[in-house]
Amino acid sequence: MQSGIYVALSSQMALERRLTTIADNLANVNTTGFRGTEVKFDQVLSNTQNKLNAKVAFVSQGNDYLSTDNGELQNTGNLFDFAVKGDAYFGMNTPAGLVLSRDGRFTMTDSGALVSTRGFPVLDPGGAPIQLDPAGGAPSVASNGTITQNGRSMGQIGLYSADVGKGFLRYQNSGILPTDTPQAVIDRSNIGIAQGYLENSNVNGMREMTNLIEVSRAFDNISTLTSSSEGTLTDAIKTLGGSQ
């Protein structure tokens, strides 16, 4: 079989993966705290050519990575809504372990626990669930995450970071399960928390629709090229075989 057909097939597999990420991004364009997924191909292609010394450069499926662009902050006025300013995440205790999220829609339970919309405990910098006074009303949270109720300190909202470039899994929409072990952010000079705000998804719906059209057209063009290549191969076989 012609090597061009293999190259075209590998390209279609890569485009299919890109379509999957675009569909996921579009589905979460209105998800609070969601960070879009992109796919990087160039580094994998370079490794293929250099390490294997291949004469034909096949297209790899690529590696997923999170867009680090911040979403727009929306003023809600709700004292239980929070947004992260800077490159960090809230930490939540889930059945899957420590999950990172930019979704700061929190509530207080009847027992005083600060929890996410899914009911997962929100963690402090030490990894412990945050406990508030259930009779103390809505807390006041400073930019460094310090929590006070009725003038009394109740702890601090934890912020965490991890190298998601090493790999990650999605957890219930905006949640992230990184391969790298999350670490509490100690230096908050460029990172903080805004009370009464939420961060919108960083996905640009118009740009993703444009990407969807471009990828769909590329997929169709490769399909046409593959069919043409197969037809040329068939004609060559007939000619060599003496078929009329």
Side-chain angles (χ1 to χ4, degrees):
M1 184 180 290
Q2 294 173 311
S3 60
I5 296 179
Y6 286 115
V7 173
L9 179 60
S10 66
S11 179
Q12 286 183 318
M13 293 174 63
L15 289 172
E16 182 181 14
R17 181 166 185 171
R18 186 69 184 104
L19 281 172
T20 300
T21 62
I22 292 174
D24 185 53
N25 289 342
L26 286 173
N28 288 281
V29 70
N30 293 317
T31 300
T32 301
F34 183 84
R35 285 194 160 182
T37 306
E38 304 290 343
V39 181
K40 181 169 62 176
F41 301 99
D42 54 344
Q43 185 63 45
V44 177
L45 287 174
S46 175
N47 288 343
T48 300
Q49 293 171 336
N50 294 335
K51 291 183 178 179
L52 300 181
N53 194 27
K55 295 181 181 180
V56 179
F58 294 95
V59 182
S60 167
Q61 290 189 14
N63 294 320
D64 293 351
Y65 70 95
L66 284 182
S67 169
T68 57
D69 295 336
N70 292 327
E72 181 182 356
L73 296 188
Q74 177 183 357
N75 187 350
T76 66
N78 186 342
L79 296 180
F80 281 100
D81 285 343
F82 303 94
V84 178
K85 296 185 295 183
D87 190 14
Y89 298 84
F90 297 113
M92 301 172 190
N93 188 21
T94 74
L98 174 57
V99 167
L100 306 182
S101 177
R102 304 274 295 189
D103 185 354
R105 295 174 296 169
F106 301 152
T107 57
M108 182 174 61
T109 66
D110 293 338
S111 62
L114 188 66
V115 298
S116 69
T117 55
R118 303 277 183 172
F120 301 134
V122 181
L123 304 180
D124 64 14
I130 296 174
Q131 181 66 36
L132 304 176
D133 181 359
S140 176
V141 178
S143 60
N144 66 354
T146 300
I147 308 170
T148 56
Q149 279 183 301
N150 298 323
R152 186 163 61 98
S153 176
M154 303 298 294
Q156 185 180 30
I157 295 178
L159 291 179
Y160 293 82
S161 65
D163 185 0
V164 293
K166 295 181 178 179
F168 67 93
L169 294 174
R170 294 283 188 183
Y171 188 84
Q172 296 188 352
N173 295 334
S174 59
I176 298 294
L177 272 168
T179 301
D180 185 42
T181 302
Q183 301 293 330
V185 176
I186 305 300
D187 181 8
R188 298 196 178 187
S189 56
N190 297 317
I191 295 175
I193 294 176
Q195 186 176 23
Y197 289 82
L198 289 175
E199 180 184 8
N200 295 329
S201 170
N202 72 349
V203 174
N204 185 316
M206 188 64 67
R207 183 177 61 191
E208 290 300 314
M209 285 299 298
T210 301
N211 291 338
L212 178 62
I213 294 172
E214 291 178 349
V215 171
S216 297
R217 287 177 176 173
F219 196 94
D220 290 340
N221 290 338
I222 293 172
S223 296
T224 301
L225 177 63
T226 302
S227 298
S228 176
S229 180
E230 288 178 344
T232 301
L233 179 61
T234 300
D235 292 341
I237 293 175
K238 288 181 179 180
T239 301
L240 292 173
S243 300
Q244 301 297 326

